[in-house]
Amino acid sequence: MEKLDQIFFYSLEKAIKSYRQFAQRTMMKQGFDLTIDQWLVLKNIIDHPEWAQNEIAEAAFKDFASVTRIIELLVKKGYLTREIHPEDRRRFRLEPTPKVFGVLKAVEPITKSNRETALNGVSEEEAKLVQQCLTKIIENCNK
Amino acid sequence: MEKLDQIFFYSLEKAIKSYRQFAQRTMMKQGFDLTIDQWLVLKNIIDHPEWAQNEIAEAAFKDFASVTRIIELLVKKGYLTREIHPEDRRRFRLEPTPKVFGVLKAVEPITKSNRETALNGVSEEEAKLVQQCLTKIIENCNK
DNA sequence: TTGAATTTATTGATATATCAATTATTATTG
DNA sequence: CAATAATAATTGATATATCAATAAATTCAA
């Protein structure tokens, strides 16, 4: 299995990189000034408006420090406003600006189509199996 | 399939990140002063001594610029020497220093064990299927 | 054989990842 | 209630990713 193991993790690395590059290219081509990481963080903030940054980070598989910096950029780009949280002054209250919703809505079909393209030729069964496998790997690496 | 798609790519992202973190932790714990990216590039250079940097980059799924910088670090850390290639002055000849081989040999069982741990509970059949799936995704994203 | 195109690699700018140290605030506990 | 611990987030340093611009050497074509 040794050789396969090697190929396996190489493929894993290459697959996610290929997908990220592909998705980023598509985003840019459509004229959005968001990286897919910024989009991911933004989406998590919208979906969970009450979460603290560290919870956002966890949901987006990101380091706290990265999230701090990504949020900085999102504020600078005018997608978010940030003020101190009224109930816990260690935290911040992040508010999406009005333009966010239009952008997210516009990005939605692109993301959907990207995923479909990337999974072309992979059946739902297979996808489920792969997904289970990945979950197992995640567990194995985190204990 | 939409919801699954989303979970699928989230899992993909999380799996490779979990594995990389796990592998990096193990490397450090064993006292090696290499990142896994440096190790990956170094290993490719050893395995293909005649390759140009751009070929190494491709094999390691890395950007040319990243490889340039990683090689700089490997030279600085005393794992490589670099001189101009005698047959093509645009290229460089990269030579591993003697200490490289010992280090790579010492890292080998760690990598092997990391992969085994990560794939614990995943059968060879499943791994093969996942691998095929990943290959399909890579192709889909690159055409 | 010169001039244009191609190849190989570097550099700069910006974004993200990671670890460690730090700050500010809140919670605990003695 | 004061001292301490825990929590939320930032900052600094270093590594890697990506894109664009550039430099140097080589190849090719007129």
Side-chain angles (χ1 to χ4, degrees), chain B residues 72-119:
Chain B
E72 253 172 46
L73 290 175
L74 288 172
V75 169
K76 204 177 294 174
K77 285 182 175 178
Y79 289 106
L80 291 177
T81 61
R82 189 168 75 154
E83 24 178 319
I84 288 172
H85 196 286
E87 282 154 26
D88 186 340
R89 298 170 46 76
R90 290 170 301 187
R91 295 179 47 182
F92 292 93
R93 170 183 276 169
L94 298 168
E95 296 280 3
T97 59
K99 80 168 179 177
V100 166
F101 301 99
V103 172
L104 282 191
K105 199 161 230 91
V107 169
E108 209 170 276
I110 298 175
T111 309
K112 185 165 176 295
S113 138
N114 282 346
R115 288 177 183 150
E116 277 167 14
T117 304
L119 281 176

Side-chain angles (χ1 to χ4, degrees), chain B residues 62-80:
Chain B
K62 296 207 165 300
D63 193 77
F64 301 164
S66 298
V67 169
T68 293
R69 286 161 185 144
I70 289 173
I71 286 175
E72 253 172 46
L73 290 175
L74 288 172
V75 169
K76 204 177 294 174
K77 285 182 175 178
Y79 289 106
L80 291 177

Side-chain angles (χ1 to χ4, degrees), chain B residues 112-129:
Chain B
K112 185 165 176 295
S113 138
N114 282 346
R115 288 177 183 150
E116 277 167 14
T117 304
L119 281 176
N120 185 29
V122 177
S123 73
E124 188 153 349
E125 266 87 337
E126 287 173 313
K128 266 186 192 143
L129 199 145

Side-chain angles (χ1 to χ4, degrees), chain A residues 84-115:
Chain A
I84 289 173
H85 197 287
E87 281 154 27
D88 185 340
R89 297 170 48 75
R90 290 170 299 186
R91 295 179 49 183
F92 291 94
R93 170 183 277 169
L94 299 167
E95 293 281 2
T97 59
K99 80 169 180 176
V100 166
F101 301 99
V103 172
L104 282 191
K105 199 161 231 91
V107 169
E108 210 171 275
I110 299 176
T111 309
K112 185 165 175 295
S113 139
N114 282 346
R115 289 178 181 149

